[in-house]
């Protein structure tokens, strides 16, 4: 097993005059939980969107399980096992929670069996009791969980979680951390963007740091916490004050 | 609405003509309303489920009317077969229209489709050797028969349009409950999220457009057979067909099963009566009244009549329930 599950080489994305990502290279192995951190505007969400195919990269290559998926449409990439949740949560507000999740299951099966699997996914994230509620009426933490369930319903190999723990209290956050660990036991590989350092340090095997669209550090949590460039990116230089 | 209620409604609709003069004015209005309800239901697949405001459905409608009528005039082919041929052409036209309008949203989609239908109207007006031009076409009448889709009595057409409405509605229900329906709602409510969880948004939109366009073209044949005469403006006209269909569904309740029926039953008679009662009083008075009434309805019931009917039913059943509990105590 030398081929990494997700490998990214020299990925760049430019929006007009803005270089959102420049020459990002990294690899994620099967079963890993990887964190992606960086200051606001560092390009974390852009990186996720580019990986799943919502943005076409300006340069570089994305490979999934050795297969080049660069420039493919998002639904093709999803069918190949890579999907993400949305930071700003984009549920289908007019549909029920169950229907939201069910649509993810249609990649692989018909409506009836997708419904059954969607129920399993809702149980997995602990919200099967709100299956029949309208997605538009949920609280933010509930919506974030529906996002996760919907992504799980596509049966991904790699799941990109974009700030699913925002607005959670400590107890809820611990539940989500437990869930992510459980998902790994099921064989899922997870990449997490998160601002809560405690959460990300406790759950991740490895952390990537992105700043101004560039990858500035890569290593185990303890190493990252002491990394001078990371400290600088987050807290500014000592003499800046 | 349950299966039983729907069945009773269809039975009721079947009995209505018995109370009306078989060739009279009222049954003709109801027949036209049923045809437009069916058109609204076909439009609903694109406008309601996919959320794309098409103002170009006249293109498919006219294509259907011309295809079957020309086949009948020149080759004596039964309108049933002409209807199928029109349906195929309507589907192809919808597919071709989808390619450039796919990425358009909201008003831009509406304008793009509107222009598409106008092109057909202009072509039909100028290509006189084929279409007869602005003079229009008359459907040759041989003898009343189901095989030739021609009847003496409006009553027969009433049943034809009722069957068409039920058929299109059944297709609508099948779509809503199946994979396509779920995917269409996802595309409508969040195209990016839909793609990321594996929905091929392009293909889904094309499927909906082709089904809707094809059904609309087939209904164009029924219109030609009902009216026995049409010209480019009556079947390809934006106001006469495209906007009217969209309006019916918007007033009735967009994306709902009974919206097109409720909308058609309100708008078609309203147009008719405004015309009959006010046309000779002052120029434009009938249109003014019609417009004012429509605005009032949309302002008072922006969710559409179907939503209003639902609330009304809930209130009535609520009252019945509460009076029952009162009686018990």
């Amino acid at each position: 097993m030398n081929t990494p599950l997700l490998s990214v080489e020299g990925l760049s994305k430019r929006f007009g005059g803005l270089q959102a990502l420049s020459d990002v290279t990294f690899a994620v192995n099967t079963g890993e939980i990887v964190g992606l951190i960086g200051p606001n505007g560092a390009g974390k969400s852009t990186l996720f969107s580019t990986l799943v195919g919502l943005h076409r990269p300006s340069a570089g290559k994305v490979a999934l399980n050795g297969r080049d998926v660069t420039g493919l449409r998002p639904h093709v990439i999803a069918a190949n096992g890579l999907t993400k949740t949305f930071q700003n949560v984009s549920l289908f507000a007019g549909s029920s929670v169950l229907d939201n999740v069910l649509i993810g299951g249609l990649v692989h099966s018909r409506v009836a069996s997708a419904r059954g699997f969607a129920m399993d996914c809702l149980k997995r994230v602990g919200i099967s009791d709100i299956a029949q509620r309208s997605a538009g009426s949920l609280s933010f933490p509930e919506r974030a969980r529906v996002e996760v369930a919907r992504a799980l319903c596509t049966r991904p190999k790699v799941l990109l979680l974009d700030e699913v723990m925002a607005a959670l209290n400590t107890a809820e956050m611990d539940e989500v951390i437990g869930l992510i660990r459980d998902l790994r036991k099921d064989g899922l590989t997870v990449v997490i963007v998160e601002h809560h350092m405690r959460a990300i340090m406790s759950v991740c095997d490895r952390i990537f740091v992105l700043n101004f669209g560039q990858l500035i550090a890569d290593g185990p949590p303890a190493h990252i916490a002491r990394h001078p460039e990371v400290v600088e990116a987050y807290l500014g230089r000592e003499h800046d004050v | 609405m349950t299966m039983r209620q729907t069945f009773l409604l269809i039975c009721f609709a079947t009995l209505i003509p018995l109370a009306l003069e078989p060739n009279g004015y009222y049954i003709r209005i109801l027949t036209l309303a049923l045809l437009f309800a069916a058109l609204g239901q076909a439009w609903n697949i694109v406008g309601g489920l996919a959320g794309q405001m098409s103002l170009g459905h006249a293109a498919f409608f006219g294509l259907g009317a011309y295809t079957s009528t020309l086949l009948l005039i020149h080759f004596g082919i039964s309108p049933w077969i002409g209807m199928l041929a029109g349906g195929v052409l309507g589907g192809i036209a919808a597919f071709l229209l989808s390619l450039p309008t796919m990425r358009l949203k909201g008003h831009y989609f509406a304008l793009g489709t509107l222009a598409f239908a106008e092109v057909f109207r202009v072509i039909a007006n100028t290509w006189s050797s084929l279409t007869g031009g602005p003079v229009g076409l008359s459907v040759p009448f041989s003898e009343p028969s189901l095989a030739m889709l021609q009847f003496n009595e409006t009553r027969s057409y009433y049943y034809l349009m009722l069957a068409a409405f039920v058929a299109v509605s059944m297709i609508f229900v099948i779509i809503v409950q199946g994979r396509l329906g779920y995917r269409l709602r996802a595309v409508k409510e969040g195209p990016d999220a839909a793609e990321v969880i594996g929905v091929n948004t392009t293909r889904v939109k094309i499927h909906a457009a082709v089904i809707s366009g094809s059904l609309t073209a087939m209904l164009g044949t029924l219109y030609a057979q009902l009216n026995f005469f049409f010209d480019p403006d009556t079947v390809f006209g934006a106001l006469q067909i495209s906007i009217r269909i969209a309006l019916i569904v918007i007033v009735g309740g967009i994306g709902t099963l009974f919206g097109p029926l409720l909308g058609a039953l309100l708008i078609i008679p309203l147009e008719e009566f405004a015309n009959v009662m006010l046309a000779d009083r002052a120029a434009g008075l009938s249109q003014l009244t019609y417009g004012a009434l429509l605005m009032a309805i949309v302002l008072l019931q922006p969710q559409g009549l179907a939503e209003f009917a639902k609330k009304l039913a809930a209130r009535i059943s609520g009252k019945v329930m509460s009076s029952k509990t009162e009686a018990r105590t």
Side-chain angles (χ1 to χ4, degrees):
Chain A
M1 276 289 288
N2 279 335
T3 338
L5 185 54
L6 174 66
S7 94
V8 178
E9 271 176 49
L11 197 69
S12 296
K13 178 66 198 175
R14 175 179 274 281
F15 296 107
L18 176 78
Q19 187 76 41
L21 296 172
S22 45
D23 201 20
V24 175
T25 299
F26 66 89
V28 179
N29 297 311
T30 308
E32 267 191 308
I33 299 177
V34 173
L36 180 64
I37 62 171
N40 284 326
K44 304 182 296 288
S45 288
T46 306
L47 176 59
F48 272 12
S49 293
T50 311
L51 291 178
V52 298
L54 281 174
H55 299 317
R56 187 178 283 270
S58 313
K61 196 182 140 186
V62 180
L64 195 59
N65 224 348
R67 193 193 160 196
D68 188 358
V69 295
T70 322
L72 295 182
R73 297 267 309 277
H75 71 266
V76 181
I77 294 180
N80 274 290
L82 175 63
T83 190
K84 73 166 196 124
T85 64
F86 285 78
Q87 181 192 359
N88 44 4
V89 178
S90 63
L91 296 178
F92 312 125
S95 303
S96 73
V97 168
L98 181 62
D99 286 355
N100 263 273
V101 179
L102 187 162
I103 290 162
L106 294 178
V107 190
H108 301 292
S109 55
R110 305 204 144 267
V111 174
S113 51
R115 184 174 288 127
F117 187 61
M119 242 3 249
D120 293 345
C121 293
L122 285 171
K123 280 193 197 113
R124 197 84 183 80
V125 302
I127 49 168
S128 53
D129 52 320
I130 60 166
Q132 300 306 330
R133 275 179 53 195
S134 159
S137 72
L138 304 178
S139 69
F140 189 87
E142 285 170 330
R143 280 189 270 161
R145 286 190 186 215
V146 179
E147 278 267 347
V148 176
R150 189 173 67 179
L152 285 177
C153 206
T154 67
R155 301 175 194 260
K157 296 188 184 86
V158 186
L159 177 58
L160 312 178
L161 297 175
D162 200 349
E163 293 205 30
V164 287
M165 289 186 238
L168 296 194
N169 64 34
T170 321
E172 289 166 338
M173 213 183 294
D174 286 339
E175 277 179 39
V176 175
I177 290 171
L179 170 68
I180 293 170
R181 290 204 176 107
D182 287 348
L183 292 176
R184 185 233 302 264
K185 275 182 209 148
D186 296 347
L188 192 65
T189 305
V190 187
V191 183
I192 312 166
V193 162
E194 203 58 61
H195 276 299
H196 291 281
M197 281 306 143
R198 188 184 67 83
I200 211 154
M201 292 288 170
S202 70
V203 75
C204 293
D205 307 316
R206 248 187 332 142
I207 292 175
F208 298 128
V209 188
L210 207 58
N211 196 21
F212 294 114
Q214 286 177 311
L215 213 55
I216 57 169
D218 169 2
H223 170 73
I224 291 294
R226 289 192 308 268
H227 197 288
E229 270 192 78
V230 177
V231 176
E232 187 186 308
Y234 268 88
L235 302 174
R237 231 169 288 189
E238 255 180 68
H239 302 293
D240 273 356
V241 192
Chain B
M1 200 171 256
T2 62
M3 286 294 280
R4 197 167 139 260
Q5 283 168 320
T6 312
F7 179 71
L8 287 175
L9 190 73
I10 294 173
C11 288
F12 177 66
T14 320
L15 294 176
I16 287 176
L18 302 180
L20 299 170
E21 212 182 310
N23 247 334
Y25 176 59
Y26 294 105
I27 196 160
R28 190 169 172 82
I29 292 176
L30 278 180
T31 304
L32 209 58
L34 280 173
L35 171 65
F36 271 90
L39 284 165
Q41 200 71 283
W43 182 91
N44 216 4
I45 297 168
V46 165
L49 298 180
Q52 292 176 302
M53 290 292 148
S54 163
L55 292 183
H57 266 54
F60 316 125
F61 185 75
L63 207 54
Y66 271 101
T67 304
S68 62
T69 306
L70 288 173
L71 286 175
L72 179 62
I73 291 174
H74 297 300
F75 306 103
I77 292 172
S78 159
W80 286 106
I81 295 166
M83 181 163 79
L84 291 179
V88 171
L89 283 181
I92 293 171
F95 174 74
L96 294 176
L97 174 64
S98 291
L99 298 178
T101 57
M102 183 58 52
R103 284 176 183 76
L104 301 179
K105 280 177 189 144
H107 306 112
Y108 300 100
F109 181 84
L111 287 175
T113 50
L114 185 73
F116 181 74
E118 280 298 285
V119 168
F120 276 84
R121 192 176 64 82
V122 172
I123 292 174
N125 265 314
T126 43
W127 193 356
S128 304
S129 58
L130 180 73
T131 64
V135 180
L137 285 180
S138 291
V139 178
F141 187 84
S142 41
E143 61 190 274
S145 80
L146 185 61
M148 290 309 271
L149 212 52
Q150 297 180 333
F151 310 102
N152 273 336
E153 287 185 347
T154 312
R155 182 183 280 179
S156 310
Y157 285 106
Y158 173 93
Y159 288 117
L160 183 68
M161 299 308 174
L162 180 64
F165 173 70
V166 171
V168 178
S169 297
M170 276 163 66
I171 292 170
F172 181 80
V173 170
I174 290 169
I175 291 173
V176 166
Q177 292 177 347
R179 265 180 161 192
L180 185 58
Y182 280 98
R183 287 174 166 158
L184 281 171
R185 283 191 293 275
V187 168
K188 175 181 160 188
E189 294 182 33
D192 279 354
E195 271 280 341
V196 168
I197 59 163
V199 178
N200 186 345
T201 53
T202 312
R203 202 170 68 186
V204 163
K205 280 192 238 175
I206 290 178
H207 277 180
V210 168
I211 296 171
S212 177
S214 177
L215 289 172
T216 305
M218 291 168 84
L219 294 168
T221 298
L222 297 189
Y223 175 80
Q225 294 303 114
L226 170 70
N227 238 28
F228 283 103
F229 169 79
F230 59 90
D231 60 28
D233 291 359
T234 46
V235 292
F236 282 124
L239 214 60
Q240 290 89 334
I241 303 299
S242 297
I243 294 173
R244 207 192 221 171
I245 297 175
L247 196 68
I248 282 170
V249 187
I250 291 165
V251 167
I254 214 160
T256 63
L257 177 60
F258 287 96
L261 181 64
L262 291 172
L265 285 177
L266 179 84
I267 285 185
I268 300 295
L270 194 65
E271 278 177 351
E272 228 14 82
F273 296 136
N275 251 330
V276 169
M277 296 197 294
L278 301 170
D280 46 1
R281 298 273 171 85
L285 186 61
S286 69
Q287 284 95 329
L288 186 73
T289 316
Y290 171 64
L293 281 170
L294 271 188
M295 276 166 64
I297 294 162
V298 173
L299 286 175
L300 291 172
Q301 209 46 243
Q303 303 284 318
L305 296 172
E307 187 62 28
F308 175 69
K310 211 161 130 191
K311 276 185 205 152
L312 197 69
R315 189 174 292 179
I316 292 167
S317 66
K319 270 191 185 147
V320 172
M321 291 292 276
S322 63
S323 63
K324 267 183 192 165
T325 40
E326 268 167 35
R328 217 171 283 156
T329 48

